[in-house]
Amino acid sequence: MLKTPTPFQHELEMVTLEQLVPKDHLLRLIDRHISFDFIRERTQALYCADNGRPAFDPVLLFKMLFIGYLFGIRSERQI
């Protein structure tokens, strides 16, 4: 069956998180006042340095769960 071609995208819009997240947002306030770097130090012994696939950053994983808790998101897939 012959299909009609879909229209091409002729315009590109560049958007950054800085533009999307308001300056007075709760997450910006938390990021400004809390350093989560201690998580990397605490979990360093749990990760293998030379075997297996590269791991996700434990700070990123913690922040994802923290955001889910703050905004009542119960599923990790929804985060």
Side-chain angles (χ1 to χ4, degrees):
M1 173 183 239
L2 185 62
K3 295 183 180 181
T4 58
T6 59
F8 294 101
Q9 180 178 353
H10 297 288
E11 296 180 16
L12 182 66
E13 182 178 0
M14 298 297 286
V15 180
T16 64
L17 285 176
E18 295 295 323
Q19 296 170 333
L20 294 176
V21 181
K23 298 289 182 195
D24 59 344
H25 196 275
L26 173 65
L27 295 178
R28 286 191 187 266
L29 183 67
I30 291 172
D31 190 49
R32 193 176 311 129
H33 293 284
I34 300 175
S35 173
F36 293 102
D37 292 335
F38 71 93
I39 296 171
R40 216 174 271 113
E41 297 168 7
R42 296 265 178 119
T43 58
Q44 186 175 7
L46 302 173
Y47 290 92
C48 182
D50 59 354
N51 193 7
R53 290 193 278 173
F56 289 109
D57 184 19
V59 174
L60 176 68
L61 295 174
F62 180 80
K63 284 182 177 181
M64 286 173 51
L65 292 174
F66 192 61
I67 288 171
Y69 175 76
L70 286 175
F71 294 105
I73 303 170
R74 295 178 182 229
S75 169
E76 290 181 15
R77 287 186 180 191
Q78 290 179 346
I79 293 175

